[in-house]
Amino acid sequence: MSTALPPPTAAQVRSQTDPEDEEQQHYKHMLHALQLADKCIPTTTAFCVGCTIYTQSSPSSLLSTGYSRELPGNTHAEQCALDKIVDGLCLSSEKTGEGEGEGKDVVRLDLYTTMEPCSKRASDPQGCAQRIIAFNSSSHVLRSSSLKRLRIERVFQGVREPTDFQLCEGQRLLREAGVEVLTVLPPPGESAGGREWLEGECLRIAKKGHADEAAAPAEDVVRLWKDAVF
């Protein structure tokens, strides 16, 4: 009589993931963020950034999106995406109670942003890196399951933040808080413009409306992200 094997754990499933498939997944999620960044209304005093947040499950599920100035005020992309999660998917802090999320099963999240999360803002005392850290510290519990709390474990960026407005220390702050930070490169098969084209496009879109906005690259490079379907 045969004995059924127990289902694999989440860690086992992740370890069996084909690295090439995972690289392609991160690439597609970043292209989605880049499409969102392109929706931003250009301004000379801020960047145009897009953000997507996915679960680390296999397959991953889209949890939230955001782009610069999408919500009222001088809001940033990561701020918009996080606020949508807190306001729409999570129980209020009054219902969970301080620290009540501790010990619950964790839904691990990946945040994709076309530019490194900021660490300083002229219009807000809290940068996006600090918002991500605060999100992880607040034990946000899913409204659909009081047994699940959310945590951003990895941040994938398209390009480092240039020093146009502030000296950004987002990467350092996140890593010190235990959040992994990685830069997404196109897979070898998606590198018509070289593996650096994605970084260049994230920066070009970020600087829409700026005096030093770069010229668009060849049309076949732009189509790599504009024609992507999710």
Side-chain angles (χ1 to χ4, degrees), residues 192-204:
R195 295 202 81 186
E196 70 281 356
W197 76 261
L198 181 56
E199 182 180 47
E201 281 296 85
C202 286
L203 184 59
R204 181 179 72 85

Side-chain angles (χ1 to χ4, degrees), residues 95-106:
K95 291 183 179 180
T96 57
E98 185 176 353
E100 191 175 319
E102 297 300 326
K104 296 183 182 295
D105 289 341
V106 176

Side-chain angles (χ1 to χ4, degrees), residues 6-52:
T9 64
Q12 289 171 329
V13 170
R14 284 197 297 273
S15 69
Q16 294 167 4
T17 301
D18 187 332
E20 292 185 3
D21 290 343
E22 188 172 2
E23 184 180 24
Q24 187 73 26
Q25 175 178 280
H26 298 321
Y27 170 66
K28 287 183 176 179
H29 294 343
M30 184 59 71
L31 295 189
H32 188 183
L34 186 53
Q35 287 184 351
L36 291 166
D38 198 36
K39 290 184 175 183
C40 299
I41 298 174
T43 173
T44 59
T45 57
F47 294 118
C48 295
V49 178
C51 175
T52 59

Side-chain angles (χ1 to χ4, degrees), residues 133-172:
I133 295 167
F135 178 89
N136 285 347
S137 300
S138 298
S139 298
H140 291 295
V141 177
L142 277 174
R143 191 187 305 274
S144 59
S145 173
S146 60
L147 301 178
K148 303 286 187 181
R149 69 182 182 91
L150 303 174
R151 175 179 171 80
I152 295 170
E153 292 209 333
R154 299 185 295 188
V155 169
F156 293 87
Q157 64 185 23
V159 66
R160 293 289 305 271
E161 180 178 328
T163 56
D164 296 38
F165 306 116
Q166 303 278 357
L167 176 62
C168 184
E169 296 185 289
Q171 281 192 159
R172 179 184 64 80

